[in-house]
Amino acid sequence: MLLQTCLALFLSSFVAYGLSLYQFKGRKMVTTLVIFLMLVPIQILILPLYKLMISISLIDTFWGVFLPMIVSPFAIFFFRQYIDGVPRDLIDAGRVDGLNEYSIFFRIVIPIMPPAFSAMAIFMSMQSWNNFLWPLIVLRSGEKFTLPIGLNTLLTPYGNNYDLLIIGALAATLPIIIVFIFFQRYFIAGLTSGGVKG
């Protein structure tokens, strides 16, 4: 969960930075594609993703579980809206000072994005932690099952192990609660940023 969330935040913000600050041929088409992918349910993409995982030998691996979900269209859209609100004078000042584009991203843009990163960290960690369908399809070995799949194995036609199920459900909620407590200071600010233009 932690690795997937961190990579998703970094890559999605990097893509959003490019879409927000640069004018290039096909920019509108890429933005439209991002919005379109937000509307496509994951169930439609399962078969082609599964064939892709077979072709690159990632079935029954942890890389096969989180690699297809590593860049989120929703996170790209959210970060792009946030970066659109960054004053362009800051970016121009960085260029005047001789910073290259990577330095501008890491030294100017990222330090003013904690609210956006916090809101998306909660969303992405919840999505990663609660993901059930895709890990169920990709994973084969019982020792590699994620917690939602493991909890589902406790429900059998021969009897339900409710004591372990309740304890497991409690354990499944604790990481999300911890993430929310850690990022709650920025959560509301991140969700409401860009809502008022001043």
Side-chain angles (χ1 to χ4, degrees):
M1 178 184 81
L2 182 62
L3 180 60
Q4 179 177 348
T5 302
C6 292
L7 287 175
L9 290 175
F10 173 72
L11 294 175
S12 299
S13 62
F14 205 67
V15 173
Y17 172 75
L19 288 176
S20 177
L21 293 184
Y22 297 108
Q23 299 291 333
F24 55 90
K25 188 176 181 180
R27 177 174 176 259
K28 289 185 178 180
M29 185 183 69
V30 173
T31 304
T32 304
L33 182 62
V34 168
I35 295 172
F36 175 75
L37 286 174
M38 288 170 57
L39 305 175
V40 176
I42 185 62
Q43 289 82 1
I44 294 177
L45 303 174
I46 282 180
L47 183 58
L49 284 176
Y50 183 70
K51 289 184 176 180
L52 177 63
M53 293 300 106
I54 291 175
S55 64
I56 58 179
S57 302
L58 288 181
I59 293 295
D60 200 27
T61 64
F62 290 120
W63 285 102
V65 171
F66 72 82
L67 200 58
M69 317 296 173
I70 206 72
V71 178
S72 167
F74 176 71
I76 292 173
F77 180 78
F78 182 83
F79 284 133
R80 181 176 183 244
Q81 295 302 108
Y82 194 91
I83 296 172
D84 282 344
V86 174
R88 291 299 182 264
D89 292 341
L90 289 175
I91 308 298
D92 294 337
R95 288 175 179 151
V96 169
D97 289 341
L99 296 178
N100 60 28
E101 298 305 319
Y102 295 103
S103 297
I104 290 173
F105 177 70
F106 287 108
R107 297 174 64 179
I108 296 178
V109 176
I110 283 185
I112 60 178
M113 291 182 64
F117 280 121
S118 301
M120 276 298 101
I122 294 172
F123 175 78
M124 298 298 295
S125 59
M126 275 183 51
Q127 189 178 45
S128 170
W129 186 253
N130 294 328
N131 193 5
F132 176 78
L133 184 59
W134 179 246
L136 180 65
I137 291 173
V138 173
L139 297 177
R140 296 285 181 270
S141 306
E143 63 273 9
K144 295 180 181 177
F145 282 171
T146 59
L147 189 57
I149 300 174
L151 291 177
N152 190 61
T153 59
L154 298 175
L155 302 173
T156 66
Y158 309 105
N160 299 322
N161 199 341
Y162 286 115
D163 51 350
L164 288 178
L165 193 61
I166 292 171
I167 294 171
L170 177 63
T173 60
L174 285 179
I176 302 302
I177 294 172
I178 292 170
V179 169
F180 182 78
I181 291 172
F182 186 73
F183 290 117
Q184 69 174 337
R185 187 168 56 143
Y186 299 107
F187 182 63
I188 301 300
L191 291 179
T192 58
S193 62
V196 178
K197 297 290 184 182

